[in-house]
Amino acid sequence: ARSGVTKDEL
Amino acid sequence: MNIFRFAGDMTHLASVLVLLLKIHTIKSCAGVSLKTQELYAIVFATRYLDIFTDFISLYNTFMKLVFLGSSFSIVWYMRSHKIVRRSYDKDQDTFRHYFLIVPCLLLAMIINEKFTFREVLWTFSLFLEAVAILPQLVLLQRTRNIDNLTGQYIFLLGAYRAFYIFNWIYRYFTEPHYVHWIPWIAGLLQTLLYGDFFYYYFHSWKNNKKLQLPA
């Protein structure tokens, strides 16, 4: 679920 | 992107630029911990492994390149620049990298969302970022020599962390299924580490005095 969500943060 | 996230990114960017500009213009890195700067370079290198494979936005790619470039530039200045490196407080900056790197790596191998090379290193980068400021705080305590720029650098880093927490709270209530324990706990720990420093920073600011940490 995380990929694409948190990984848009730096 | 919400306003908290953007403010967080901008204070993070400002912190790095303040440090780089200080080193570049006054040709001195007195009071700056090379250990912390090297840890940040490792943090960005391991977190942004996806920079050329997963495109999110031009903003993201640009910021990643800026953070990678600036962190490695600072390390280069402190290690290799013939004038800057002379001002480095080598004897005081004795914190060992591996005291932080090894536990973070082990923890990332145990706690992660998927046991793959990239996921483990991504998790490792979050844990390492949480504690990477420690050598800098130890150096400040030792030298007790804090010029305004070093103080502002740490203040801006702390502000970045605080804004990111507001960003997570905002996203939690506005985006469905936005629950991410690993970055939240690592981020919360990181913000707490700044708490002590902030106390003295505000105290000196309020009394209009030079920042001094207790021995």
Side-chain angles (χ1 to χ4, degrees):
Chain A
R2 198 209 62 251
S3 46
V5 182
T6 311
K7 287 209 170 152
D8 66 0
E9 291 177 355
L10 297 161
Chain B
M1 182 160 54
N2 62 66
I3 186 74
F4 303 113
R5 156 79 198 281
F6 186 67
D9 285 349
M10 289 304 111
T11 42
H12 194 186
L13 184 65
S15 72
V16 179
L17 293 184
V18 158
L19 193 59
L20 196 56
L21 227 60
K22 163 194 152 109
I23 292 172
H24 180 79
T25 51
I26 66 176
K27 297 284 184 285
S28 163
C29 62
V32 180
S33 166
L34 177 61
K35 306 291 167 111
T36 285
Q37 296 308 317
E38 286 177 337
L39 291 173
Y40 279 136
I42 295 170
V43 164
F44 292 131
T46 50
R47 185 170 312 164
Y48 298 158
L49 287 173
D50 63 353
I51 185 167
F52 296 117
T53 55
D54 300 347
F55 181 78
I56 295 154
S57 66
L58 215 56
Y59 172 84
N60 259 58
T61 306
F62 175 75
M63 293 294 276
K64 284 173 178 175
L65 287 171
V66 169
F67 285 134
L68 281 167
S70 52
S71 62
F72 279 91
S73 303
I74 291 168
V75 170
W76 176 83
Y77 262 115
M78 294 184 72
R79 293 190 80 105
S80 307
H81 190 281
K82 67 180 194 297
I83 300 166
V84 173
R85 71 175 186 202
R86 274 187 246 144
S87 58
Y88 170 48
D89 304 314
K90 197 178 178 194
D91 301 331
Q92 306 271 9
D93 190 25
T94 53
F95 207 103
R96 310 264 177 191
H97 297 94
Y98 55 81
F99 278 168
L100 298 175
I101 293 175
V102 173
C104 286
L105 197 56
L106 290 176
L107 204 62
M109 288 167 88
I110 302 163
I111 303 167
N112 53 63
E113 292 189 12
K114 215 170 23 170
F115 194 74
T116 63
F117 181 73
R118 256 169 50 169
E119 282 299 310
V120 169
L121 283 187
W122 182 81
T123 312
F124 163 75
S125 82
L126 288 170
F127 294 156
L128 190 63
E129 187 188 356
V131 292
I133 196 68
L134 284 174
Q136 179 67 67
L137 294 179
V138 168
L139 181 64
L140 286 186
Q141 292 277 359
R142 279 204 185 142
T143 57
R144 302 183 66 203
N145 156 36
I146 306 157
D147 59 58
N148 289 335
L149 283 169
T150 311
Q152 277 151 16
Y153 167 67
I154 300 173
F155 172 80
L156 287 165
L157 271 179
Y160 143 62
R161 294 317 312 172
F163 280 127
Y164 254 71
I165 287 178
F166 289 127
N167 159 55
W168 292 332
I169 294 169
Y170 181 85
R171 294 186 76 170
Y172 177 79
F173 286 110
T174 55
E175 291 177 31
H177 316 299
Y178 183 72
V179 177
H180 301 293
W181 291 111
I182 295 174
W184 289 354
I185 290 170
L188 205 62
L189 170 71
Q190 188 184 357
T191 314
L192 289 175
L193 287 180
Y194 289 90
D196 191 53
F197 174 83
F198 265 101
Y199 173 80
Y200 293 106
Y201 189 87
F202 278 119
H203 201 71
S204 68
W205 175 75
K206 202 176 71 192
N207 299 326
N208 213 358
K209 276 199 315 218
K210 195 168 147 47
L211 178 59
Q212 267 213 333
L213 296 179

